[in-house]
Each structure stands twice: as C-alpha cells, then as structure tokens.
Amino acid sequence: MATLSIDLTHYCRPCLRRLISQTRSFTTTPTRRVKGPLPVFHPTPSPDLDALLNTFRTNIFFPSHLLVLQQDLVYKKSNHALLTSDEPATVRLGDEVLQLLPLDKRRDEPPTRSSFAKVVQLMEETGDWGNMAAFLEGLKVARRKLAGWQVEKMVRRANEVGNQGVVMDILNKVKKTGVGLWDVKVCREVMRGAVLKATQSGWSDEGVERGLKYAEKIWDLMWDPRHVEEQKKVGTDLRGRPEIVGVVVLMHAVKAVKLGGGKDEGGIVAKYAEVMLERWENSRGEMVIDAQDWSDANYKLMMWAPVWHGMKMARQVVGAGSPLGGRLDEKLSQDLEPLIHKSRAITLAHTPADGMRRGLKVYEDMLQASS
C-alpha cells in the first residue's frame, strides 16, 4: 500500500507538488512551521487521564504542527476522501511518522477550559503531575489560551500535594509553557508553595530550609529576563508587591528565630524587610475588605497572614526598638493587624461548623511557626 509522506523537519518540494496535484482545489501556499516535537506523555495511574491526554495529542496538538495544506486535508470534508482511501497520507514529525486522519473541530476537539480542569483534577487525585509541563507546551503551540484563574488553580493544587518541583519546572520553561510570573494571583500562589514546604513539614528545620530555598529561587526567577519581558507587556512589576517579597521575609525570619538563635546573620532579614517596606504603598488597595463579601475576606486572610506573621518575626529579629523594628511595628499596627482581625472575623462567621476556610488554615499555620 503506497504512502504519501511529507517530512516536516526536512520539507521535500517534490512531495509538496505531489500533494497539491492530489488536492486540486487547494489555492493556499503552505508556510514552514518550526514548533518542535509533539508532547510525549508517560502513562499515569488513571485511564481517564491517559485517554484525555492522548485525545489532546492526537486531535489538537498534532494538527497544530501541520502545514496549511496538511491542515486542509485534515479539516476540510471535501478532502477527507484522500485520507480514507487506500493511499493514506503520513507526515514525519521528529522521530514519529503519523497518519493524517479526518477531524471535525466541533466533534473531535475537547473544550479547553473544562478539559484543563479535568486534567488538573485527575493529576491531583493520582498524584501524577509529571505530564503537566508537556500538556501546557502543547496548549501553547495549539494557541489554546488559559485564563489566569485556571493557572492559579493549577498551581494551588500542585502545591497542596507537594509538587512545587512541577511548578518550578513549568516556570523555568516559560517560553514553551506560556506560564510565568506576571499574573499577580498566580505569583501569590507560586510563593505560597514556599510556605507550604514549611507548613506541610510542621515547620521542621528541614522544611523551613526547603521553603526558604524555594522562596529565594522564585524571587530570583522574577528577575529572569524571560519573565520580566512578559511583565512589561502586561504592565505589571510583581517584584514591587509587598505581599510577594513578604513571603521571603517570613521564611528568612522563621529561619533566624528557629535555626539561628534569633540573630540576623548577614543582615538578610533586614535586607528583605527594607525591600518590602519600600514597596508597601503598592498594595494598599489590596488591604481594603468588603465586609459583605466573605470570599474576599477569606482570600485577603490567606494572602496577608504570611506577611503579617513574617513582619512580627522580623521585628523580633531586628529588634523592636530599632528604627527598622519601629517601621515594621507601624505598618503592623496601622495596616495589617486591623486587616487580619477583620478578615478573620468575617471568614469565621461564614465558615460551616464542619469546615475550614483556606484563609483560616493559613492563619493557623502561621501561628504554628512560632511554636
């Protein structure tokens, strides 16, 4: 059985002329696309997850790598006879030879939003997050965009099950995954991963060290030109947000108190506390709470509790009577103490007897850091 083969890596013009002659109605000129290899997914404990990933690979990611004429073969009903005849058309993509098959966009392409939510859910249930970076790479090549809240939720779920390494891998591949540090809520969740490394260990010495190292890696990554470039495009500079650098303050202050005898070795706690205070005005709008919106209060409690506790511990390290300690005390008494107490009260009033809101959990986790 003859096979029509077109190598996407080393394009053959005679083969192109042959394809055009067999698809007489085509008038478009194909453009060479260099998009790298198709994502490869390893088997997971979930048949449903494997099936969903394979459907995306076959029906969305693969067609996105094709040339225009090849896409016409796949998507135009008038050309489907060419793909179902005795002479199948194949393309070579990297080391793979794949057959072109008819596709109907409405019938064969799963919706991005609901499917991404399902992928995150299944990865969370199985604990198998190893395919997420490749899945995001495929979505980016296929121009399937994710909303910021979807990425935020993905990061939160990965962090909660201890997969901060997956998040770091995704961020380090920002050009391929399209996920970076320019959405403020995503960035907050990423930084929360550092705190979780400590809290999930019960604030053990090792957990504190690991959490601090992770926070510093994320902070350094925020200065990476690949992330800064995208921040400029959307008009944000998240390095100027006190709630972001406040997590670094927390982790350094906890280490100083728990592992360093309360001493600020090298002045590192003071350094980051100064950076945070310099940026304080940038987030004043985020300190306003809508008393009628418990969800907002819950989120604000989750966001600011680590900063609040980090400032208290930093004040202890640098000395409450020092000029820096005095400035920390001023921001605590004027801004954060009222915000924490109010948001906690509102959240408590809307928490079911058998439940636990996220903000309250973060607040209680912070109290354990001093014990």
Side-chain angles (χ1 to χ4, degrees), residues 14 64 76 92 104 106 129 137 142 217 234 265 285 298 332:
S64 70
K76 288 188 177 180
R92 178 178 294 278
D104 183 307
R106 289 175 295 181
W129 288 80
E137 290 177 29
K217 284 182 178 180
V234 299
E265 295 292 341
N298 179 48
L332 278 166

Side-chain angles (χ1 to χ4, degrees), residues 33-73:
R33 298 176 182 176
V34 181
K35 298 184 176 180
L38 276 177
V40 176
F41 301 117
H42 67 253
T44 77
S46 169
D48 290 341
L49 178 57
D50 289 340
L52 187 53
L53 293 175
N54 185 63
T55 297
F56 265 84
R57 189 178 197 269
T58 302
N59 295 1
I60 297 179
F61 300 161
F62 174 43
S64 70
H65 282 71
L66 299 177
L67 302 172
V68 174
L69 283 176
Q70 294 162 344
Q71 290 178 342
D72 285 344
L73 276 173

Side-chain angles (χ1 to χ4, degrees), residues 175-212:
K175 289 295 186 181
K176 293 183 177 181
T177 63
V179 173
L181 298 168
W182 51 81
D183 181 290
V184 65
K185 288 192 173 182
V186 171
C187 196
R188 287 169 184 157
E189 288 296 343
V190 170
M191 270 298 190
R192 273 280 298 150
V195 181
L196 282 170
K197 279 184 175 291
T199 61
Q200 288 168 347
S201 74
W203 294 99
S204 69
D205 293 356
E206 181 183 0
V208 170
E209 290 278 14
R210 291 174 62 231
L212 173 56

Side-chain angles (χ1 to χ4, degrees), residues 249-299:
V249 174
L250 168 71
M251 299 312 301
H252 273 294
V254 171
K255 179 182 178 181
V257 172
K258 294 181 73 71
L259 309 180
K263 296 181 180 180
D264 187 13
E265 295 292 341
I268 195 71
V269 174
K271 170 190 170 183
Y272 281 106
E274 290 282 5
V275 170
M276 179 183 63
L277 291 175
E278 288 171 3
R279 291 153 167 74
W280 197 255
E281 299 301 320
N282 294 343
S283 285
R284 279 202 177 274
E286 300 285 354
M287 297 181 188
V288 178
I289 297 176
D290 182 354
Q292 305 303 314
D293 186 354
W294 70 263
S295 180
D296 177 64
N298 179 48
Y299 183 79

Side-chain angles (χ1 to χ4, degrees), residues 300-310 339-340 359 362-363 366:
K300 295 291 174 59
L301 185 60
M302 180 276 298
M303 176 172 66
W304 287 108
V307 184
W308 163 72
H309 199 69
L339 175 117
I340 293 297
V362 174
Y363 174 83
M366 292 305 101

